[in-house]
Amino acid sequence: MCASRAFEYVLLIVAACPPIGTAAQTDVARIPHAPAFVTLNIAIHPGWNVEFRCNHDGQVLTCIIGQLKHGEEEQYPELLFDPQNLKSTKWQTGQWWLHSSYNLCEGNGKFNVYTRNGTFQCAKRKRGWRSNHFPLRTMDVMTIQVALSKIGLAPGRQFGFAADVTDTKSEWHFWPTGASLRSPATWATAELVQK
């Protein structure tokens, strides 16, 4: 399979193989060392696909996300991490939900943590990760950067991973297809490829 070739061919993989988002869930999604990247595509509806371009530098995972706006509609990106690759059916402490929209929101062991005890939990800045925010213009991209140390990732070690976009009310669209926000067991297995 394309995703299992050696790192030195990763640029050829991007050009010669389908986006890793189309790989079977049993494959390992290999996130390359910068400057190469892997592309994950999420279909919203015909004519609207959100593209995540992800890589790492050994310290920080970066995802550049395009096409988050379509006319007046907006979708907000989320990154889901299971650093120990537990594949649990329910969330556990150490599994991370990172959401970027007009603010940054996060949950360790929980998802959709917008408020706690009536107090808004999101902010323009969060320790260990950053992103530019909405409002975005139609062609703008959002860049999310996450310190590997924040979520317990290391190059060469496999982990659970999914990406989604949401309107935060009624729509969630995922990579890999079939992933669920409620169950880390449905996420892909990923690995940060060493340089």
Side-chain angles (χ1 to χ4, degrees), residues 5 13 27 49 56 62 66 68 76 81-82 85 98 103 106-107 185 190:
R5 292 183 186 152
I13 292 170
D27 292 341
N49 292 302
H56 75 95
T62 299
L68 289 166
Y76 310 113
F81 298 97
D82 178 4
N85 205 24
L98 303 180
N103 287 288
E106 66 182 35

Side-chain angles (χ1 to χ4, degrees), residues 54-129:
C54 301
N55 66 16
H56 75 95
D57 66 4
Q59 302 294 315
V60 174
L61 172 75
T62 299
C63 290
I64 301 168
I65 306 124
Q67 293 120 10
L68 289 166
K69 284 187 61 92
H70 189 76
E72 295 299 313
E73 295 179 78
E74 297 177 343
Q75 292 284 314
Y76 310 113
E78 299 180 336
L79 300 177
L80 311 172
F81 298 97
D82 178 4
Q84 301 300 315
N85 205 24
L86 299 174
K87 299 291 187 201
S88 58
T89 57
K90 295 185 180 181
W91 281 71
Q92 298 180 20
T93 300
Q95 295 168 330
W96 286 88
W97 167 80
L98 303 180
H99 167 98
S100 182
S101 55
Y102 289 84
N103 287 288
L104 302 179
C105 309
E106 66 182 35
N108 180 353
K110 298 180 182 178
F111 61 91
N112 289 351
V113 183
Y114 299 107
T115 60
R116 186 177 301 128
N117 299 324
T119 303
F120 190 58
Q121 296 297 303
C122 306
K124 296 291 183 195
R125 295 179 182 193
K126 290 283 187 177
R127 180 170 292 177
W129 69 292

Side-chain angles (χ1 to χ4, degrees), residues 26-62:
T26 56
D27 292 341
V28 175
R30 300 194 186 284
I31 301 173
H33 197 281
F37 61 88
V38 67
T39 301
L40 313 173
N41 289 299
I42 300 176
I44 308 302
H45 57 65
W48 188 9
N49 292 302
V50 174
E51 180 181 88
F52 286 68
R53 294 172 36 145
C54 301
N55 66 16
H56 75 95
D57 66 4
Q59 302 294 315
V60 174
L61 172 75
T62 299

